[in-house]
Amino acid sequence: MFAATAATIVSGAIAERVKISAYLIFTVIFVGLVYPLIGSWKWGGGALDAMGFYDFAGSTLVHSVGGWAALIAVYLLGARIGKFDINGKAKAIPGHNIPLAAAGVLILWLGWFGFNGGSVLSADPELTSLTLVTTCLAAAAGGVSSTIISNLMYKNFDLTMFMNGVLGGLVGITAGADQMSTGEAMIIGAIGGIIVVLAIALLEKLKLDDPVGAIAVHLFAGMWGTLAVGIFGNMASAKQFMLQLAGVGIVGAFCVLSALLIVLVVN
């Protein structure tokens, strides 16, 4: 399921402008080679693990891996026709079925209890319970904060911003869900929701067209969640923060280079 997640992050970002056959070829190579290699650096007892890098359930190892690949693919593909006017100003291309999108986010929120709760491999009841609670609180906080900040910026209540804020909170807590208190989880989720709104605005300014906000949610909130392990919770320290930062940089560099190579070959 984690491997599938890394693949589907890319599918959202490149929606409406890529052949299904090209996407499938990219997925087989990226998820078959790049994802397990990076995962082994931490979860397989590799170099990142030996260094002291921590990522409980994949803010970096799953979400930013998919996010980096999506960023490269979007950059090389260019925008959808009609997304930017002749002055370069972004125009909204609304989704066609908001209830269906909302149902998808509800399924993701529920599924994240397996994503994070299932990562307590010992199935310890106390630790699993804590992980489930921190996951849920971060999601709720992300939805609330994204709603508030998007309303301040755009003077409207945008359900898609709320939904992406929920996902930003979930991605943000994923790296340290077993390390945080309930209050810390809400802070991390709230900041994740704000980051998503700001990242969506930044990507539009850079003329990068991401129809579903996948890069903002999975890459930006994923990096935040990974760094948050060094700021909050049981592992918080300046040294741990620097280790987390190094891990984000190493994984980012490898993903960018490998995704660039694969996309250029497939293209």
Side-chain angles (χ1 to χ4, degrees):
M1 293 307 296
F2 280 26
T5 300
T8 54
I9 290 165
V10 182
S11 72
I14 61 175
E16 302 189 358
R17 58 202 193 280
V18 68
K19 289 180 179 176
I20 188 68
S21 57
Y23 169 68
L24 292 173
I25 295 166
F26 171 84
T27 296
V28 168
I29 301 170
F30 192 76
V31 180
L33 297 175
V34 179
Y35 165 76
L37 185 61
I38 292 172
S40 73
W41 294 350
K42 166 61 187 169
W43 294 333
L48 289 179
D49 189 53
M51 185 175 81
F53 175 77
Y54 192 79
D55 189 354
F56 173 64
S59 284
T60 284
L61 300 179
V62 177
H63 296 282
S64 80
V65 166
W68 285 116
L71 180 65
I72 295 301
V74 164
Y75 174 74
L76 293 175
L77 275 171
R80 290 169 292 172
I81 295 169
K83 176 61 181 175
F84 298 101
D85 63 21
I86 54 172
N87 299 315
K89 185 175 173 60
K91 295 194 290 184
I93 303 178
H96 299 292
N97 195 323
I98 296 300
L100 197 61
V105 171
L106 178 64
I107 291 166
L108 276 168
W109 193 335
L110 183 64
W112 228 281
F113 295 132
F115 199 77
N116 286 357
S119 293
V120 183
L121 301 180
S122 63
D124 173 70
E126 185 179 354
L127 189 56
T128 303
S129 299
L130 173 69
T131 302
L132 296 176
V133 171
T134 55
T135 299
C136 196
L137 288 174
V144 171
S145 68
S146 64
T147 300
I148 293 169
I149 197 77
S150 65
N151 181 253
L152 291 172
M153 289 172 65
Y154 303 112
K155 302 297 183 285
N156 68 353
F157 286 110
D158 185 340
L159 184 61
T160 62
M161 284 294 194
F162 165 76
M163 293 190 292
N164 273 337
V166 168
L167 298 179
L170 287 165
V171 172
I173 196 61
T174 292
D178 64 330
Q179 300 291 325
M180 305 301 167
S181 68
T182 51
E184 288 168 330
M186 286 189 280
I187 293 168
I188 291 168
I191 295 173
I194 293 168
I195 285 171
V196 166
V197 177
L198 298 177
I200 288 171
L202 173 65
L203 290 168
E204 287 194 340
K205 280 198 175 356
L206 295 173
K207 309 285 189 299
L208 295 171
D209 182 15
D210 177 0
V212 301
I215 297 167
V217 167
H218 297 280
L219 176 55
F220 284 83
M223 289 191 291
W224 155 243
T226 306
L227 297 177
V229 172
I231 303 171
F232 301 99
N234 302 334
M235 301 180 71
S237 69
K239 181 185 177 185
Q240 189 63 43
F241 180 83
M242 296 309 295
L243 288 172
Q244 298 299 106
L245 186 62
V248 167
I250 292 166
V251 170
F254 186 78
C255 285
V256 165
L257 290 171
S258 56
L260 188 62
L261 180 64
I262 298 166
V263 172
L264 288 173
V265 169
V266 172
N267 192 40

